[in-house]
Amino acid sequence: MNNYRNFIGGKWIESTSAKTVNNINPANTAEVIGTNRQATREEARAAVEAASEAFHEWRRTPAPARGKIVARAARLMEAAKEELATILTLEEGKTISESRGELQRSINVAEFCAGESRRMNGETIFSELPSNFVYTIKQPLGVVACVTPWNFPVAIPTWKIAPALVAGNTVVFKPATLTPATAVRIVEIFEEAGIPAGVLNLVLGSGSDAGDEIINHAAVKAVSFTGSNPVGIRLYEQVSRRGAKCQCEMGGKNPVVILEDCDMDLAVENTAQGAFGSSGQRCTATSRAVVVAKIADEFVERISTRAQSMRIGDGMDPQTEMGPSVDEGQFKTVLEYLNIGREDGATLVCGGERATGNGLDKGYFVRPTVFDHVTPDMRIAREEIFGPVLSVMRVKDFDEAMQVANDTEFGLSSSIFTNDAARIFRFVDEIETGMTHVNSPTTGGEAHIPFGGIKGTGIGDREQGSTALDFYTELKVVYVDYTGRKREGNLY
Ligand code: NAP
Ligand code: MG
């Protein structure tokens, strides 16, 4: 059995704590994949100190040289793609093809960031004065903490760590407790790629202990967090109070708007993929289908047929379309929301229970669920469930659809199914989400394209794409006067 360790100052170090956690396969809870001791606060501090010590040298390393290490990591990740995808499916539960997709996204992100290392350019700006000019340079912040969730345990750490390193920061990486195996492999890959000691550190500890210690450490100049709203908002308060930078990507309640002139086949299949793919455990998952009344009966019938045909099972089986919930806590939360939906008066069309039989009793499987006649005040319309649950909300027309779609505290992703160009562009203009999709699922994204949400979902700069380095750099403005003379008059 694997025994996961912390990586501090270039050394793999077994925690001294007495608290251990097991890494369990959610498709078969009898299978323990590995174990680790939960890092102590002292160990978390040691990781920050190691990162602090390594910063001076790393900052002086030319950005293209830093980028070469990230490029090497991309190649190593590509070589280990199948192995990493397997680990990911075993510890998180998503299907092996979803895992391969996540690995490819991570490789793409690392390649993109490596390229950015040669484009960390500033601006040259004319001055109002003769023989003067101004330029800007992007500089690293110092020690950066990357705090990540379990649902994309390879891609999210990669899209934080790679830009942080390219920008010249040193990193303390605190992955979710549920996914230590992928975290260890990512760090091993960076180690093999030649990352100097202390530049990247891994702390396997609980959020409330080791995580709390890291984010509140005075030497940590920035925290990049992805996870749930309650944790993110509290973390933001703590980090911003001491004037450090903080970026939070949090929950979603993503709507798909389906209009009467849509391609129904496309709308049904893409909504099913968005709602039930990865067992609904994606921040961009489709959780509300806002459907005009005229076509709602047909949509509900077809989406529930599709939901019932989803092949549920162990993600390692290539036939499987939907894996389990990640752990007992998430599984119970989803089952609880199924009860809340019923109690609040929504119509259960299909699913609504744990999936059993055919070996499914061994894991945390939930049947893909469709609720109809969900109204905006119901909890299943307002709260993030993070399970394979779709709430259908019937509306009379496009205007009401817009209003219902925007009636949420979250603002991550959305989509619309229609062939009416005018409505598409009105939707794009008025929908209150950071990303939106036309005639395609609410999920998905590409390495070279900015990613993130607005409203209650996101605080701070967008991750990835042209904005990937914004959070991880500070802009310095430099005024140069080559007149060689004392300045006449005053500049304001
Ligand atoms: P979570 O419970 O908020 O945890 C996220 C991370 O924060 C974990 O590493 C966690 O450690 C750590 N943490 C918890 N308490 C902390 C504290 N007091 N101080 C410092 N760190 C702390 O989220 P999750 O359950 O792992 O992930 C699911 C959530 O992530 C969903 O809400 C989903 O929407 C969101 N998400 C958002 C995006 C996006 O881009 N918007 C992408 C993916 C996921 P432990 O694991 O030890 O608790
Ligand atoms: Mg958690």
Side-chain angles (χ1 to χ4, degrees):
M1 195 166 58
N2 291 301
N3 184 19
Y4 315 114
R5 290 173 300 170
N6 300 304
F7 189 63
I8 299 172
K11 292 197 179 70
W12 290 95
I13 295 170
E14 166 106 42
S15 170
T16 56
S17 107
K19 233 162 77 191
T20 61
V21 280
N22 287 338
N23 190 8
I24 290 176
N25 178 352
N28 175 8
T29 58
E31 187 184 344
V32 181
I33 305 159
T35 183
N36 65 275
R37 295 169 185 271
Q38 291 268 58
T40 62
R41 284 183 179 265
E42 291 69 37
E43 288 156 353
R45 270 204 301 282
V48 175
E49 281 153 21
S52 227
E53 269 170 45
F55 177 60
H56 184 66
E57 269 307 300
W58 186 240
R59 181 187 192 280
R60 286 161 38 89
T61 306
R66 299 192 297 248
K68 273 208 183 292
I69 296 179
V70 174
R72 228 174 283 138
R75 289 196 289 273
L76 291 168
M77 206 181 268
E78 190 147 46
K81 185 176 173 185
E82 204 51 34
E83 180 219 334
L84 258 158
T86 304
I87 297 173
L88 173 49
T89 291
L90 287 176
E91 82 172 349
E92 200 270 354
K94 64 181 68 181
T95 68
I96 189 70
S97 77
E98 288 168 340
S99 291
R100 288 183 187 122
E102 179 170 345
L103 257 299
Q104 192 54 52
R105 172 79 169 269
S106 311
I107 295 159
N108 297 349
V109 166
E111 284 175 349
F112 174 81
C113 290
E116 286 300 277
S117 71
R118 292 181 182 271
R119 270 188 298 269
M120 280 192 41
N121 309 323
E123 289 180 282
T124 315
I125 310 166
F126 289 114
S127 167
E128 294 174 356
L129 302 172
S131 300
N132 274 255
F133 76 101
V134 181
Y135 68 96
T136 63
I137 45 180
K138 289 180 185 165
Q139 295 195 305
L141 310 171
V143 179
V144 168
C146 300
V147 182
T148 56
W150 47 263
N151 68 328
F152 283 95
V154 182
I156 295 177
T158 307
W159 83 48
K160 293 186 191 299
I161 293 168
L165 293 177
V166 160
N169 304 287
T170 54
V171 173
V172 177
F173 170 30
K174 208 309 273 174
T177 295
L178 287 174
T179 49
T182 41
V184 164
R185 281 300 286 132
I186 293 167
V187 174
E188 283 173 352
I189 281 171
F190 275 99
E191 181 189 19
E192 200 185 332
I195 203 82
V199 171
L200 172 61
N201 304 275
L202 171 69
V203 177
L204 300 175
S206 82
S208 52
D209 247 335
D212 180 76
E213 188 70 29
I214 294 164
I215 63 137
N216 287 306
H217 197 297
V220 172
K221 301 300 179 206
V223 178
S224 180
F225 168 87
T226 300
S228 64
N229 280 63
V231 174
I233 293 294
R234 188 161 166 267
L235 185 144
Y236 184 77
E237 280 172 7
Q238 294 177 309
V239 174
S240 57
R241 202 179 298 140
R242 68 163 196 279
K245 268 182 117 175
C246 191
Q247 168 188 58
C248 295
E249 280 298 337
M250 300 173 283
K253 193 71 196 168
N254 311 295
V256 51
V257 166
I258 301 174
L259 300 182
E260 57 272 31
D261 69 326
C262 73
D263 175 333
M264 186 57 86
D265 290 342
L266 201 65
V268 168
E269 187 54 34
N270 284 319
T271 303
Q273 291 302 331
F276 310 129
S278 298
S279 317
Q281 300 177 123
R282 288 192 282 219
C283 51
T284 53
T286 310
S287 63
R288 296 178 296 145
V290 183
V291 188
V292 291
K294 217 164 137 188
I295 53 162
D297 286 342
E298 185 191 354
F299 175 78
V300 168
E301 196 203 308
R302 293 186 56 182
I303 192 84
S304 60
T305 304
R306 181 67 186 96
Q308 285 162 288
S309 77
M310 291 292 285
R311 288 186 298 271
I312 311 171
D314 188 329
M316 288 308 296
D317 177 347
Q319 297 301 315
T320 296
E321 288 179 288
M322 197 189 94
S325 290
V326 72
D327 75 338
E328 193 182 0
Q330 192 60 47
F331 178 60
K332 286 190 167 154
T333 300
V334 177
L335 295 178
E336 202 180 305
Y337 273 107
L338 299 180
N339 283 332
I340 291 169
R342 283 192 195 91
E343 281 162 16
D344 284 355
T347 308
L348 179 68
V349 184
C350 67
E353 59 185 4
R354 172 177 198 170
T356 51
N358 269 336
L360 296 179
D361 311 67
K362 291 190 293 188
Y364 300 124
F365 295 96
V366 179
R367 295 217 181 276
T369 298
V370 177
F371 279 112
D372 194 3
H373 300 288
V374 175
T375 54
D377 53 303
M378 291 181 188
R379 286 181 62 192
I380 56 169
R382 310 210 73 82
E383 297 170 18
E384 184 182 53
I385 300 172
F386 236 50
V389 183
L390 182 70
S391 294
V392 177
M393 308 177 76
R394 296 177 176 232
V395 292
K396 62 176 189 300
D397 56 15
F398 176 63
D399 286 323
E400 193 187 349
M402 286 309 305
Q403 191 214 318
V404 167
N406 281 333
D407 182 12
T408 171
E409 66 174 290
F410 299 108
L412 186 56
S413 186
S414 56
S415 81
I416 186 166
F417 287 89
T418 177
N419 288 308
D420 179 335
R423 283 168 165 182
I424 288 173
F425 285 106
R426 230 191 97 193
F427 175 83
V428 167
D429 183 34
E430 292 175 18
I431 192 71
E432 296 165 359
T433 58
M435 300 174 287
T436 193
H437 299 255
V438 177
N439 290 319
S440 51
T442 56
T443 55
E446 297 179 33
H448 59 293
I449 296 170
F451 181 96
I454 61 172
K455 288 165 79 176
T457 294
I459 304 175
D461 298 303
R462 291 288 192 282
E463 303 193 79
Q464 304 180 77
S466 56
T467 51
L469 293 182
D470 291 353
F471 178 74
Y472 297 101
T473 52
E474 220 51 282
L475 199 68
K476 184 175 279 175
V477 179
V478 186
Y479 287 86
V480 180
D481 181 332
Y482 58 99
T483 58
R485 288 196 304 270
K486 180 174 149 319
R487 190 166 294 168
E488 306 285 329
N490 287 318
L491 266 194
Y492 16 89

PDB file of all heavy atoms in Angstrom, residues 20-47:
ATOM      1  N   THR A  20      -3.857   9.717  10.954  1.00  0.00           N
ATOM      2  CA  THR A  20      -3.692   9.155   9.608  1.00  0.00           C
ATOM      3  C   THR A  20      -5.032   9.148   8.875  1.00  0.00           C
ATOM      4  O   THR A  20      -6.091   9.099   9.493  1.00  0.00           O
ATOM      5  CB  THR A  20      -3.167   7.702   9.647  1.00  0.00           C
ATOM      6  OG1 THR A  20      -4.114   6.905  10.357  1.00  0.00           O
ATOM      7  CG2 THR A  20      -1.822   7.600  10.303  1.00  0.00           C
ATOM      8  N   VAL A  21      -4.950   9.219   7.544  1.00  0.00           N
ATOM      9  CA  VAL A  21      -6.158   9.074   6.716  1.00  0.00           C
ATOM     10  C   VAL A  21      -5.887   8.042   5.627  1.00  0.00           C
ATOM     11  O   VAL A  21      -4.764   7.939   5.121  1.00  0.00           O
ATOM     12  CB  VAL A  21      -6.589  10.400   6.037  1.00  0.00           C
ATOM     13  CG1 VAL A  21      -7.345  11.293   6.979  1.00  0.00           C
ATOM     14  CG2 VAL A  21      -5.407  11.132   5.439  1.00  0.00           C
ATOM     15  N   ASN A  22      -6.927   7.301   5.283  1.00  0.00           N
ATOM     16  CA  ASN A  22      -6.818   6.331   4.207  1.00  0.00           C
ATOM     17  C   ASN A  22      -7.386   6.905   2.924  1.00  0.00           C
ATOM     18  O   ASN A  22      -8.366   7.640   2.949  1.00  0.00           O
ATOM     19  CB  ASN A  22      -7.578   5.053   4.569  1.00  0.00           C
ATOM     20  CG  ASN A  22      -6.847   4.251   5.635  1.00  0.00           C
ATOM     21  OD1 ASN A  22      -5.635   4.403   5.811  1.00  0.00           O
ATOM     22  ND2 ASN A  22      -7.576   3.416   6.346  1.00  0.00           N
ATOM     23  N   ASN A  23      -6.748   6.540   1.832  1.00  0.00           N
ATOM     24  CA  ASN A  23      -7.222   6.942   0.506  1.00  0.00           C
ATOM     25  C   ASN A  23      -8.052   5.793  -0.040  1.00  0.00           C
ATOM     26  O   ASN A  23      -7.530   4.703  -0.304  1.00  0.00           O
ATOM     27  CB  ASN A  23      -6.013   7.240  -0.389  1.00  0.00           C
ATOM     28  CG  ASN A  23      -6.403   7.893  -1.700  1.00  0.00           C
ATOM     29  OD1 ASN A  23      -7.556   8.266  -1.907  1.00  0.00           O
ATOM     30  ND2 ASN A  23      -5.429   8.026  -2.590  1.00  0.00           N
ATOM     31  N   ILE A  24      -9.351   6.026  -0.185  1.00  0.00           N
ATOM     32  CA  ILE A  24     -10.290   4.943  -0.480  1.00  0.00           C
ATOM     33  C   ILE A  24     -10.842   5.074  -1.887  1.00  0.00           C
ATOM     34  O   ILE A  24     -11.125   6.180  -2.359  1.00  0.00           O
ATOM     35  CB  ILE A  24     -11.417   4.973   0.574  1.00  0.00           C
ATOM     36  CG1 ILE A  24     -10.809   4.526   1.898  1.00  0.00           C
ATOM     37  CG2 ILE A  24     -12.602   4.103   0.178  1.00  0.00           C
ATOM     38  CD1 ILE A  24     -11.707   4.562   3.063  1.00  0.00           C
ATOM     39  N   ASN A  25     -10.984   3.950  -2.575  1.00  0.00           N
ATOM     40  CA  ASN A  25     -11.592   3.938  -3.907  1.00  0.00           C
ATOM     41  C   ASN A  25     -13.112   4.086  -3.751  1.00  0.00           C
ATOM     42  O   ASN A  25     -13.757   3.190  -3.214  1.00  0.00           O
ATOM     43  CB  ASN A  25     -11.232   2.612  -4.590  1.00  0.00           C
ATOM     44  CG  ASN A  25     -11.864   2.492  -5.966  1.00  0.00           C
ATOM     45  OD1 ASN A  25     -12.678   3.316  -6.369  1.00  0.00           O
ATOM     46  ND2 ASN A  25     -11.476   1.443  -6.686  1.00  0.00           N
ATOM     47  N   PRO A  26     -13.692   5.173  -4.233  1.00  0.00           N
ATOM     48  CA  PRO A  26     -15.124   5.383  -4.005  1.00  0.00           C
ATOM     49  C   PRO A  26     -16.022   4.424  -4.797  1.00  0.00           C
ATOM     50  O   PRO A  26     -17.209   4.309  -4.501  1.00  0.00           O
ATOM     51  CB  PRO A  26     -15.361   6.833  -4.458  1.00  0.00           C
ATOM     52  CG  PRO A  26     -14.250   7.135  -5.395  1.00  0.00           C
ATOM     53  CD  PRO A  26     -13.077   6.308  -4.960  1.00  0.00           C
ATOM     54  N   ALA A  27     -15.439   3.733  -5.782  1.00  0.00           N
ATOM     55  CA  ALA A  27     -16.228   2.736  -6.519  1.00  0.00           C
ATOM     56  C   ALA A  27     -16.250   1.398  -5.785  1.00  0.00           C
ATOM     57  O   ALA A  27     -17.088   0.532  -6.055  1.00  0.00           O
ATOM     58  CB  ALA A  27     -15.654   2.545  -7.922  1.00  0.00           C
ATOM     59  N   ASN A  28     -15.302   1.236  -4.854  1.00  0.00           N
ATOM     60  CA  ASN A  28     -15.230   0.002  -4.068  1.00  0.00           C
ATOM     61  C   ASN A  28     -14.587   0.358  -2.740  1.00  0.00           C
ATOM     62  O   ASN A  28     -13.366   0.364  -2.602  1.00  0.00           O
ATOM     63  CB  ASN A  28     -14.397  -1.042  -4.808  1.00  0.00           C
ATOM     64  CG  ASN A  28     -14.202  -2.288  -3.956  1.00  0.00           C
ATOM     65  OD1 ASN A  28     -14.809  -2.440  -2.885  1.00  0.00           O
ATOM     66  ND2 ASN A  28     -13.347  -3.179  -4.428  1.00  0.00           N
ATOM     67  N   THR A  29     -15.417   0.653  -1.767  1.00  0.00           N
ATOM     68  CA  THR A  29     -14.924   1.271  -0.535  1.00  0.00           C
ATOM     69  C   THR A  29     -14.082   0.306   0.314  1.00  0.00           C
ATOM     70  O   THR A  29     -13.440   0.730   1.275  1.00  0.00           O
ATOM     71  CB  THR A  29     -16.079   1.833   0.308  1.00  0.00           C
ATOM     72  OG1 THR A  29     -16.981   0.768   0.604  1.00  0.00           O
ATOM     73  CG2 THR A  29     -16.816   2.917  -0.448  1.00  0.00           C
ATOM     74  N   ALA A  30     -14.068  -0.975  -0.072  1.00  0.00           N
ATOM     75  CA  ALA A  30     -13.218  -1.925   0.655  1.00  0.00           C
ATOM     76  C   ALA A  30     -11.765  -1.782   0.207  1.00  0.00           C
ATOM     77  O   ALA A  30     -10.845  -2.279   0.864  1.00  0.00           O
ATOM     78  CB  ALA A  30     -13.708  -3.349   0.412  1.00  0.00           C
ATOM     79  N   GLU A  31     -11.556  -1.107  -0.917  1.00  0.00           N
ATOM     80  CA  GLU A  31     -10.202  -0.990  -1.457  1.00  0.00           C
ATOM     81  C   GLU A  31      -9.511   0.269  -0.939  1.00  0.00           C
ATOM     82  O   GLU A  31      -9.904   1.385  -1.265  1.00  0.00           O
ATOM     83  CB  GLU A  31     -10.261  -0.965  -2.989  1.00  0.00           C
ATOM     84  CG  GLU A  31      -8.885  -1.020  -3.615  1.00  0.00           C
ATOM     85  CD  GLU A  31      -8.930  -0.897  -5.148  1.00  0.00           C
ATOM     86  OE1 GLU A  31     -10.008  -1.079  -5.737  1.00  0.00           O
ATOM     87  OE2 GLU A  31      -7.869  -0.610  -5.731  1.00  0.00           O
ATOM     88  N   VAL A  32      -8.489   0.038  -0.114  1.00  0.00           N
ATOM     89  CA  VAL A  32      -7.694   1.169   0.387  1.00  0.00           C
ATOM     90  C   VAL A  32      -6.464   1.284  -0.508  1.00  0.00           C
ATOM     91  O   VAL A  32      -5.656   0.370  -0.603  1.00  0.00           O
ATOM     92  CB  VAL A  32      -7.285   0.947   1.862  1.00  0.00           C
ATOM     93  CG1 VAL A  32      -6.476   2.133   2.370  1.00  0.00           C
ATOM     94  CG2 VAL A  32      -8.518   0.726   2.725  1.00  0.00           C
ATOM     95  N   ILE A  33      -6.343   2.448  -1.171  1.00  0.00           N
ATOM     96  CA  ILE A  33      -5.263   2.624  -2.148  1.00  0.00           C
ATOM     97  C   ILE A  33      -3.968   3.048  -1.470  1.00  0.00           C
ATOM     98  O   ILE A  33      -2.883   2.750  -1.920  1.00  0.00           O
ATOM     99  CB  ILE A  33      -5.649   3.710  -3.162  1.00  0.00           C
ATOM    100  CG1 ILE A  33      -6.993   3.376  -3.800  1.00  0.00           C
ATOM    101  CG2 ILE A  33      -4.594   3.894  -4.221  1.00  0.00           C
ATOM    102  CD1 ILE A  33      -7.655   4.599  -4.396  1.00  0.00           C
ATOM    103  N   GLY A  34      -4.119   3.783  -0.405  1.00  0.00           N
ATOM    104  CA  GLY A  34      -2.929   4.298   0.262  1.00  0.00           C
ATOM    105  C   GLY A  34      -3.298   4.960   1.566  1.00  0.00           C
ATOM    106  O   GLY A  34      -4.473   4.992   1.952  1.00  0.00           O
ATOM    107  N   THR A  35      -2.277   5.470   2.226  1.00  0.00           N
ATOM    108  CA  THR A  35      -2.529   6.102   3.515  1.00  0.00           C
ATOM    109  C   THR A  35      -1.486   7.205   3.734  1.00  0.00           C
ATOM    110  O   THR A  35      -0.422   7.188   3.116  1.00  0.00           O
ATOM    111  CB  THR A  35      -2.464   5.045   4.644  1.00  0.00           C
ATOM    112  OG1 THR A  35      -2.772   5.693   5.872  1.00  0.00           O
ATOM    113  CG2 THR A  35      -1.082   4.422   4.761  1.00  0.00           C
ATOM    114  N   ASN A  36      -1.834   8.155   4.570  1.00  0.00           N
ATOM    115  CA  ASN A  36      -0.807   9.118   4.971  1.00  0.00           C
ATOM    116  C   ASN A  36      -1.117   9.707   6.332  1.00  0.00           C
ATOM    117  O   ASN A  36      -2.261   9.703   6.778  1.00  0.00           O
ATOM    118  CB  ASN A  36      -0.649  10.232   3.929  1.00  0.00           C
ATOM    119  CG  ASN A  36      -1.870  11.114   3.780  1.00  0.00           C
ATOM    120  OD1 ASN A  36      -2.797  10.776   3.034  1.00  0.00           O
ATOM    121  ND2 ASN A  36      -1.897  12.219   4.489  1.00  0.00           N
ATOM    122  N   ARG A  37      -0.059  10.191   6.962  1.00  0.00           N
ATOM    123  CA  ARG A  37      -0.229  10.950   8.196  1.00  0.00           C
ATOM    124  C   ARG A  37      -0.545  12.380   7.804  1.00  0.00           C
ATOM    125  O   ARG A  37       0.071  12.914   6.890  1.00  0.00           O
ATOM    126  CB  ARG A  37       1.060  10.918   9.018  1.00  0.00           C
ATOM    127  CG  ARG A  37       1.438   9.542   9.519  1.00  0.00           C
ATOM    128  CD  ARG A  37       2.851   9.589  10.084  1.00  0.00           C
ATOM    129  NE  ARG A  37       3.296   8.267  10.474  1.00  0.00           N
ATOM    130  CZ  ARG A  37       3.094   7.737  11.686  1.00  0.00           C
ATOM    131  NH1 ARG A  37       2.466   8.433  12.620  1.00  0.00           N
ATOM    132  NH2 ARG A  37       3.520   6.529  11.975  1.00  0.00           N
ATOM    133  N   GLN A  38      -1.464  12.985   8.515  1.00  0.00           N
ATOM    134  CA  GLN A  38      -1.870  14.370   8.228  1.00  0.00           C
ATOM    135  C   GLN A  38      -0.805  15.322   8.763  1.00  0.00           C
ATOM    136  O   GLN A  38      -0.537  15.330   9.966  1.00  0.00           O
ATOM    137  CB  GLN A  38      -3.191  14.677   8.926  1.00  0.00           C
ATOM    138  CG  GLN A  38      -4.378  13.943   8.354  1.00  0.00           C
ATOM    139  CD  GLN A  38      -5.068  14.757   7.278  1.00  0.00           C
ATOM    140  OE1 GLN A  38      -4.447  15.124   6.310  1.00  0.00           O
ATOM    141  NE2 GLN A  38      -6.337  15.028   7.438  1.00  0.00           N
ATOM    142  N   ALA A  39      -0.269  16.161   7.882  1.00  0.00           N
ATOM    143  CA  ALA A  39       0.829  17.047   8.288  1.00  0.00           C
ATOM    144  C   ALA A  39       0.428  17.938   9.472  1.00  0.00           C
ATOM    145  O   ALA A  39      -0.717  18.374   9.578  1.00  0.00           O
ATOM    146  CB  ALA A  39       1.254  17.929   7.114  1.00  0.00           C
ATOM    147  N   THR A  40       1.398  18.203  10.317  1.00  0.00           N
ATOM    148  CA  THR A  40       1.158  19.074  11.473  1.00  0.00           C
ATOM    149  C   THR A  40       1.336  20.532  11.067  1.00  0.00           C
ATOM    150  O   THR A  40       1.858  20.841   9.993  1.00  0.00           O
ATOM    151  CB  THR A  40       2.187  18.780  12.584  1.00  0.00           C
ATOM    152  OG1 THR A  40       3.495  19.080  12.048  1.00  0.00           O
ATOM    153  CG2 THR A  40       2.131  17.334  13.033  1.00  0.00           C
ATOM    154  N   ARG A  41       0.961  21.426  11.982  1.00  0.00           N
ATOM    155  CA  ARG A  41       1.169  22.867  11.747  1.00  0.00           C
ATOM    156  C   ARG A  41       2.672  23.183  11.619  1.00  0.00           C
ATOM    157  O   ARG A  41       3.057  24.028  10.811  1.00  0.00           O
ATOM    158  CB  ARG A  41       0.541  23.680  12.882  1.00  0.00           C
ATOM    159  CG  ARG A  41      -0.974  23.744  12.765  1.00  0.00           C
ATOM    160  CD  ARG A  41      -1.608  24.597  13.840  1.00  0.00           C
ATOM    161  NE  ARG A  41      -3.053  24.640  13.647  1.00  0.00           N
ATOM    162  CZ  ARG A  41      -3.709  25.596  12.987  1.00  0.00           C
ATOM    163  NH1 ARG A  41      -3.055  26.612  12.479  1.00  0.00           N
ATOM    164  NH2 ARG A  41      -5.020  25.542  12.834  1.00  0.00           N
ATOM    165  N   GLU A  42       3.501  22.505  12.396  1.00  0.00           N
ATOM    166  CA  GLU A  42       4.957  22.740  12.323  1.00  0.00           C
ATOM    167  C   GLU A  42       5.467  22.369  10.934  1.00  0.00           C
ATOM    168  O   GLU A  42       6.289  23.071  10.346  1.00  0.00           O
ATOM    169  CB  GLU A  42       5.719  21.909  13.373  1.00  0.00           C
ATOM    170  CG  GLU A  42       5.509  22.331  14.821  1.00  0.00           C
ATOM    171  CD  GLU A  42       4.090  22.049  15.338  1.00  0.00           C
ATOM    172  OE1 GLU A  42       3.501  21.003  14.962  1.00  0.00           O
ATOM    173  OE2 GLU A  42       3.553  22.891  16.095  1.00  0.00           O
ATOM    174  N   GLU A  43       4.980  21.240  10.413  1.00  0.00           N
ATOM    175  CA  GLU A  43       5.425  20.800   9.089  1.00  0.00           C
ATOM    176  C   GLU A  43       4.953  21.777   8.012  1.00  0.00           C
ATOM    177  O   GLU A  43       5.684  22.065   7.055  1.00  0.00           O
ATOM    178  CB  GLU A  43       4.932  19.366   8.827  1.00  0.00           C
ATOM    179  CG  GLU A  43       5.704  18.356   9.664  1.00  0.00           C
ATOM    180  CD  GLU A  43       4.967  17.048   9.941  1.00  0.00           C
ATOM    181  OE1 GLU A  43       3.770  16.925   9.609  1.00  0.00           O
ATOM    182  OE2 GLU A  43       5.594  16.151  10.528  1.00  0.00           O
ATOM    183  N   ALA A  44       3.741  22.291   8.184  1.00  0.00           N
ATOM    184  CA  ALA A  44       3.235  23.284   7.230  1.00  0.00           C
ATOM    185  C   ALA A  44       4.126  24.529   7.258  1.00  0.00           C
ATOM    186  O   ALA A  44       4.469  25.096   6.213  1.00  0.00           O
ATOM    187  CB  ALA A  44       1.791  23.651   7.570  1.00  0.00           C
ATOM    188  N   ARG A  45       4.512  24.940   8.467  1.00  0.00           N
ATOM    189  CA  ARG A  45       5.397  26.116   8.593  1.00  0.00           C
ATOM    190  C   ARG A  45       6.749  25.847   7.941  1.00  0.00           C
ATOM    191  O   ARG A  45       7.310  26.714   7.267  1.00  0.00           O
ATOM    192  CB  ARG A  45       5.604  26.466  10.072  1.00  0.00           C
ATOM    193  CG  ARG A  45       4.579  27.442  10.624  1.00  0.00           C
ATOM    194  CD  ARG A  45       5.121  28.187  11.832  1.00  0.00           C
ATOM    195  NE  ARG A  45       5.506  27.316  12.935  1.00  0.00           N
ATOM    196  CZ  ARG A  45       4.649  26.759  13.788  1.00  0.00           C
ATOM    197  NH1 ARG A  45       3.351  26.960  13.668  1.00  0.00           N
ATOM    198  NH2 ARG A  45       5.077  25.991  14.764  1.00  0.00           N
ATOM    199  N   ALA A  46       7.247  24.626   8.134  1.00  0.00           N
ATOM    200  CA  ALA A  46       8.545  24.275   7.531  1.00  0.00           C
ATOM    201  C   ALA A  46       8.470  24.384   6.008  1.00  0.00           C
ATOM    202  O   ALA A  46       9.436  24.811   5.349  1.00  0.00           O
ATOM    203  CB  ALA A  46       8.952  22.865   7.949  1.00  0.00           C
ATOM    204  N   ALA A  47       7.329  24.020   5.435  1.00  0.00           N
ATOM    205  CA  ALA A  47       7.176  24.106   3.974  1.00  0.00           C
ATOM    206  C   ALA A  47       7.205  25.568   3.524  1.00  0.00           C
ATOM    207  O   ALA A  47       7.844  25.914   2.521  1.00  0.00           O
ATOM    208  CB  ALA A  47       5.870  23.437   3.542  1.00  0.00           C
TER     209      ALA A  47
END
